[in-house]
Amino acid sequence: MNQPLQSYLSMTRLPFFLRICFFSLCFITCAFGEGEESSAFGKVTSKSSSAITVTTEDKKNPNVTFVIDENTSISRGRTKITVEAIESGEMARVVGMVKGDQKIATSITVRQKP
């Protein structure tokens, strides 16, 4: 292949590659960019069918409240439970997403009782 043709072909590939990277990044941002992830580990201080509050060791924000919805997965160890089975004072890890001014729980894992 002659030099000018080879140079032209490599120049046309680079913009195509950059376009693929750009669209991939846009897709990932749109698919997963709904909110920031939030988590808390601590003692359950209050709970209802629609929310749970965990007290952590964080001095700035010790009480963290998450909204519980129909998509929230709740378990004790590997066993699925309902929010009614969680007792005040138990240790739990809550993972969720920040949407607006609320934290929506995606999973609640309660430490197994000894």
Side-chain angles (χ1 to χ4, degrees):
M1 208 181 271
N2 66 21
Q3 184 65 26
L5 182 57
Q6 189 176 13
S7 177
Y8 172 76
L9 290 175
S10 61
M11 285 176 45
T12 58
R13 287 187 194 136
L14 181 62
F16 178 74
F17 175 74
L18 290 176
R19 282 184 269 166
I20 294 295
C21 290
F22 175 77
F23 288 119
S24 298
L25 182 61
C26 289
F27 173 76
I28 291 169
T29 303
C30 291
F32 301 107
E34 289 186 11
E36 181 181 322
E37 186 174 293
S38 179
S39 65
F41 176 77
K43 189 179 288 191
V44 176
T45 52
S46 70
K47 56 108 183 170
S48 68
S49 60
S50 61
I52 187 168
T53 301
V54 177
T55 300
T56 68
E57 293 182 1
D58 184 0
K59 303 227 185 291
K60 290 182 184 176
N61 189 15
N63 298 315
V64 185
T65 301
F66 287 84
V67 174
I68 298 171
D69 65 12
E70 66 277 356
N71 299 317
T72 305
S73 167
I74 306 171
S75 62
R76 177 174 280 113
R78 293 184 180 182
T79 306
K80 297 261 186 216
I81 61 171
T82 62
V83 70
E84 290 80 19
I86 302 173
E87 297 176 17
S88 196
E90 287 189 293
M91 298 299 286
R93 177 167 182 76
V94 185
V95 178
M97 298 297 288
V98 177
K99 293 186 180 178
D101 61 345
Q102 293 185 324
K103 294 177 181 170
I104 312 297
T106 54
S107 71
I108 301 171
T109 306
V110 181
R111 185 181 288 174
Q112 288 184 323
K113 294 179 181 177

